[in-house]
């Protein structure tokens, strides 16, 4: 029997607290994730068969999970749980049945995918006449995949438990347990380096042994498992006692399934794009290829994860409730407020990271050629950071309003553009420029997708506060002009970013350069926004300054 308290949406102050909780956990997790990525790059490098094979294999569970279950859990479940909260039992029956059917599906899916490891590797990589994966590379990637594919179940379990916790107003654990995963992975990588040595000893496929494969890929899967099971420690706070319930008819699961069908279509076309991207990128194996794209995306996604996801997910539950209760005006206000707040940080991040792209890349790359390859990919990705942010927020509105069919059509249009571009890159772009071309193509396709999303949504909610958001964004860009100039000047004073320069010649030098230039850029950006009385910035800065003054007086 369940005694489930009613769950209310967070107030504006609650949104701020929830966002801060998301952000704090994400910052810690991402910081540890970066440490993990740096250690991984030190262990197996960012260029070579070993790095590309592991990148492909370790990405497979993400791709399979996202295709089959990711859309349902992240996009459909929160609104459905919010609606089920109005039931007499507070949604307990719905959640129990949802958990049961999901766990059954996850187990079956994981077993099938793991058995199909060789086929999946062949699907995502290819060999050409003079480039691409060799048979030894395929064998190594397949061996990694057998160890990595069980992650599908643990990713799904983590997302399912996390979305239930978030929908019930319990925001912290979902963002904090990935830190456990990163600690496990870091530990495994340290053991790997101590036992088998660092890069470049592992660049060739034929140098890998079964114990090395098991240690590297096994600890990656163990980390995801601990991340998922860590959420079980917080389940009692939902007020629900889980009991397996195989009576799947009723409890509104049919409505969830209808919404999920279109979301599945969204993720299907997304994964079709991912297959083409992986296959085209794999032709450059030995140059900037799969691993370089992965590390470039890791740098690109950092500000998005810390700011955009934290703010948007804190708003998402409330947006769903606004739609449920017909408060479209408040939904519109929340969209505008979320975009203005997020873009304040994203404009700084996009331009600031472009300035620091080469020093940042030097944290991962062991030579200047790698720095150039990764830095160029980072800049190409960052071209699309602002539209990527806008699209992420708008897509959650589509999910809250059950406009999943429209979201599918827009995703299909984006996928057609991306796949066409990827095939053109394969046909006409030199191997050494494939990775940066794919990153730039994604930025173009995302900009197109964001524009379509806004055009379709605007008349359905009476506007998107587009003028206000656009003016605020231009304000932020104007403030970044002197800030970027100051950052470039700092790097020039430190010797520039050419081969052998202080900022790109070592990890220590790159960290010092980023700290100095990044601090100066942030100071100039904040000063310009304060002097010009930007309301979003002052709304964030004034409470902080008031608290600091209070501490100083005490």
């Amino acid at each position: 029997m369940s005694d489930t308290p009613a769950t209310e949406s967070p107030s504006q102050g609650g949104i701020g607290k929830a966002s801060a909780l998301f952000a704090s956990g994400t910052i810690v997790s991402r910081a540890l994730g970066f440490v993990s990525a740096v250690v991984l790059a030190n262990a197996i490098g960012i260029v070579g068969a070993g790095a590309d094979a592991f990148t492909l294999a370790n990405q497979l569970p993400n791709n399979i999970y996202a295709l089959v279950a990711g859309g349902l859990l992240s996009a459909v479940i929160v609104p459905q749980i919010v609606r089920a909260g109005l039931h007499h039992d507070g949604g307990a029956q719905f959640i129990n049945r949802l958990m049961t059917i999901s766990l059954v599906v996850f187990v079956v899916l994981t077993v099938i995918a793991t058995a199909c490891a060789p086929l999946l590797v062949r699907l995502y990589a290819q060999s050409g006449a003079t480039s691409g994966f060799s048979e030894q590379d395929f064998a190594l990637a397949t061996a990694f995949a057998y160890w990595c594919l069980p992650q599908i179940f643990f990713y799904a379990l983590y997302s399912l438990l996390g979305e239930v916790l978030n929908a019930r107003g319990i925001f912290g654990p979902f963002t904090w347990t990935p830190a456990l995963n990163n600690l496990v992975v870091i530990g495994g990588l340290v053991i790997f380096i101590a036992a088998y040595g660092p890069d470049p000893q592992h660049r060739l496929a034929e140098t890998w042994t079964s114990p090395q494969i098991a240690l590297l890929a096994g600890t990656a899967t163990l980390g995801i498992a601990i991340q998922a099971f860590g959420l079980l420690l917080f389940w009692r706070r939902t007020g629900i006692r889980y009991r397996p319930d195989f009576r799947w008819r009723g409890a509104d699961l049919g409505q969830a399934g209808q919404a999920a069908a279109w979301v599945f279509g969204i993720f299907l076309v997304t994964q079709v794009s991912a297959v083409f991207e992986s296959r085209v990128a794999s032709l450059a194996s030995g140059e900037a290829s799969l691993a370089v794209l992965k590390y470039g995306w890791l740098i690109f996604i950092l500000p998005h994860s810390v700011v955009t996801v934290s703010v948007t997910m804190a708003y998402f539950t409330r947006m769903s409730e606004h739609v449920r209760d017909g408060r479209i005006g408040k939904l519109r206000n929340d969209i505008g407020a979320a975009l203005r707040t997020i873009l304040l940080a994203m404009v700084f991040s996009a331009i600031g990271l472009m300035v620091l792209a080469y020093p940042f890349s030097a944290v991962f790359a062991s030579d200047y050629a790698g720095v150039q390859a990764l830095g160029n990919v980072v800049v190409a990705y960052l071209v699309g950071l602002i539209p990527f942010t806008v699209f992420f927020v708008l897509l959650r509105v589509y999910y809250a309003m059950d406009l999943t069919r429209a979201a599918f059509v827009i995703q299909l249009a984006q996928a057609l553009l991306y796949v066409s571009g990827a095939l053109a890159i394969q046909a006409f772009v030199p191997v050494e420029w494939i990775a940066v071309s794919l990153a730039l193509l994604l930025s173009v396709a995302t900009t197109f997708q964001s524009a379509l999303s806004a055009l379709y949504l605007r008349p359905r909610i009476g506007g998107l506060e587009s003028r206000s958001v656009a003016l605020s964004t231009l304000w932020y860009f104007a403030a970044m002009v002197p800030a970027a100039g100051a950052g470039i000047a700092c790097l020039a004073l430190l010797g520039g970013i050419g081969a052998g320069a202080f900022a790109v010649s070592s990890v220590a030098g790159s960290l010092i350069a980023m700290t100095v230039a990044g601090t100066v850029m942030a100071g100039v950006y904040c000063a310009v926004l304060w002097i010009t009385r930007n309301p979003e910035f002052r709304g964030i800065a004034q409470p902080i300054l008031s608290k600091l003054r209070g501490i100083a007086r005490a």
Side-chain angles (χ1 to χ4, degrees):
M1 189 169 178
S2 164
D3 184 14
T4 308
T7 304
E8 297 179 357
S9 64
S11 62
Q12 189 64 38
I15 288 289
K17 291 179 181 178
S19 299
L21 194 57
F22 268 118
S24 60
T26 302
I27 289 171
V28 172
S29 297
R30 286 288 169 176
L32 289 172
F34 261 88
V35 173
S36 172
V38 171
V39 180
L40 177 62
N42 183 261
I44 63 174
I46 66 172
V47 175
D52 289 336
F54 180 70
T55 297
L56 188 154
N58 203 37
Q59 188 60 36
L60 282 177
N62 286 275
N63 294 340
I64 303 302
Y65 159 69
L67 172 61
V68 179
L72 172 62
L73 296 179
S74 64
V76 179
I77 294 307
V78 169
Q80 295 296 332
I81 292 175
V82 168
R83 295 187 186 104
L86 298 178
H87 296 172
H88 67 90
D89 63 350
Q93 184 184 61
F94 175 83
I95 291 173
N96 274 320
R97 293 182 178 181
L98 171 69
M99 289 282 292
T100 303
I101 189 173
S102 298
L103 291 175
V104 171
V105 170
F106 298 156
V107 170
V108 173
L109 171 65
T110 302
V111 171
I112 294 173
T114 303
C116 294
L119 298 177
L120 292 172
V121 169
R122 295 279 176 177
L123 175 64
Y124 278 85
Q126 63 177 322
S127 59
T130 60
S131 62
F133 270 42
S134 67
E135 286 304 313
Q136 289 177 315
D137 298 339
F138 278 117
L140 178 59
T142 301
F144 278 132
Y146 279 122
W147 282 95
C148 292
L149 282 167
Q151 294 174 21
I152 295 171
F153 174 79
F154 301 117
Y155 273 124
L157 180 62
Y158 165 74
S159 294
L160 176 61
L161 295 174
E163 296 298 349
V164 173
L165 289 170
N166 289 342
R168 309 289 286 187
I170 305 164
F171 297 106
F174 187 68
T175 59
W176 280 93
T177 53
L180 299 175
N181 166 32
N182 289 319
L183 289 173
V184 171
V185 172
I186 291 169
L189 290 170
V190 169
I191 295 171
F192 181 91
I193 294 173
Y196 303 112
D199 172 67
Q201 298 180 34
H202 314 294
R203 292 189 177 183
L204 300 177
E206 55 266 28
T207 63
W208 285 83
T209 65
S210 295
Q212 290 174 345
I213 294 169
L215 177 58
L216 184 64
T219 52
T221 297
L222 178 62
I224 303 299
I226 291 176
Q227 171 181 303
F229 288 124
L231 291 180
L232 291 174
L233 300 175
F234 302 92
W235 184 258
R236 286 181 176 271
R237 294 172 59 183
T238 65
I240 295 173
R241 183 180 300 173
Y242 172 66
R243 293 188 179 91
D245 190 342
F246 294 91
R247 298 168 299 168
W248 297 336
R249 291 187 178 276
D252 293 335
L253 285 174
Q255 184 180 359
Q258 291 173 10
W262 289 111
V263 177
F264 174 81
I266 293 172
F267 278 79
L268 175 62
V269 296
T270 300
Q271 289 309 310
V272 170
S273 298
V275 169
F276 276 90
E277 176 186 75
S278 182
R279 289 179 64 83
V280 174
S282 69
L283 288 174
S285 188
E287 302 282 346
S289 182
L290 294 170
V292 169
L293 283 171
K294 169 201 166 184
Y295 285 103
W297 183 260
L298 183 67
I299 296 171
F300 164 85
I301 207 69
L302 176 63
H304 171 82
S305 302
V306 173
V307 179
T308 306
V309 174
S310 301
V311 175
T312 304
M313 293 310 293
Y315 270 97
F316 187 33
T317 300
R318 194 168 78 172
M319 287 180 179
S320 299
E321 292 177 345
H322 288 332
V323 172
R324 179 194 68 188
D325 299 335
R327 301 190 296 258
I328 302 302
K330 291 186 176 181
L331 171 67
R332 185 169 57 247
N333 293 339
D334 274 355
I335 296 170
L339 284 173
R340 287 190 298 271
T341 300
I342 294 168
L343 291 174
L344 172 66
M346 289 300 102
V347 171
F348 173 79
S349 299
I351 299 178
L353 284 175
M354 285 184 182
V355 173
L356 300 175
Y358 273 35
F360 214 147
S361 299
V363 175
F364 300 96
S366 58
D367 53 48
Y368 190 69
V371 170
Q372 285 183 305
L374 181 54
N376 293 338
V377 166
V378 170
V379 171
Y381 273 138
L382 288 169
V383 170
L385 181 58
I386 302 305
F388 184 78
T389 298
V390 173
F391 171 70
F392 184 87
V393 174
L394 295 184
L395 186 60
R396 269 61 202 168
V397 181
Y398 276 75
Y399 292 156
M401 297 181 68
D402 282 337
L403 295 174
T404 48
R405 180 179 179 178
F408 166 76
V409 173
I410 293 171
Q411 185 66 50
L412 180 60
Q414 188 262 14
L416 289 173
L417 174 61
Y418 186 83
V419 169
S420 300
L423 292 175
I425 289 170
Q426 176 175 314
F428 300 111
V429 174
V431 169
E432 61 271 21
W433 288 102
I434 282 180
V436 69
S437 299
L438 287 170
L440 186 59
L441 172 63
L442 182 62
S443 293
V444 172
T446 302
T447 302
F448 171 72
Q449 185 177 26
S450 178
L452 283 184
S453 299
L455 287 173
Y456 182 84
L457 187 61
R458 183 177 179 180
R460 282 156 181 80
I461 61 174
L464 290 171
E465 300 193 2
S466 303
R467 184 174 182 275
S468 173
V469 172
L471 289 175
S472 293
T473 304
L474 290 174
W475 198 335
Y476 305 149
F477 270 108
M480 271 307 296
V481 172
I488 293 171
C490 287
L491 292 179
L493 291 173
L494 291 172
I497 56 173
F502 175 77
V504 295
S505 59
S506 67
V507 173
S510 65
L511 291 175
I512 292 171
M514 286 192 292
T515 301
V516 173
T519 301
V520 170
M521 283 193 289
V524 173
Y525 184 63
C526 292
V528 172
L529 291 176
W530 181 267
I531 292 170
T532 56
R533 306 184 69 84
N534 180 266
E536 283 75 31
F537 178 73
R538 288 210 164 200
I540 295 171
Q542 283 177 332
I544 297 174
L545 291 174
S546 298
K547 289 183 179 180
L548 292 176
R549 292 191 192 104
I551 294 173
R553 294 192 191 100

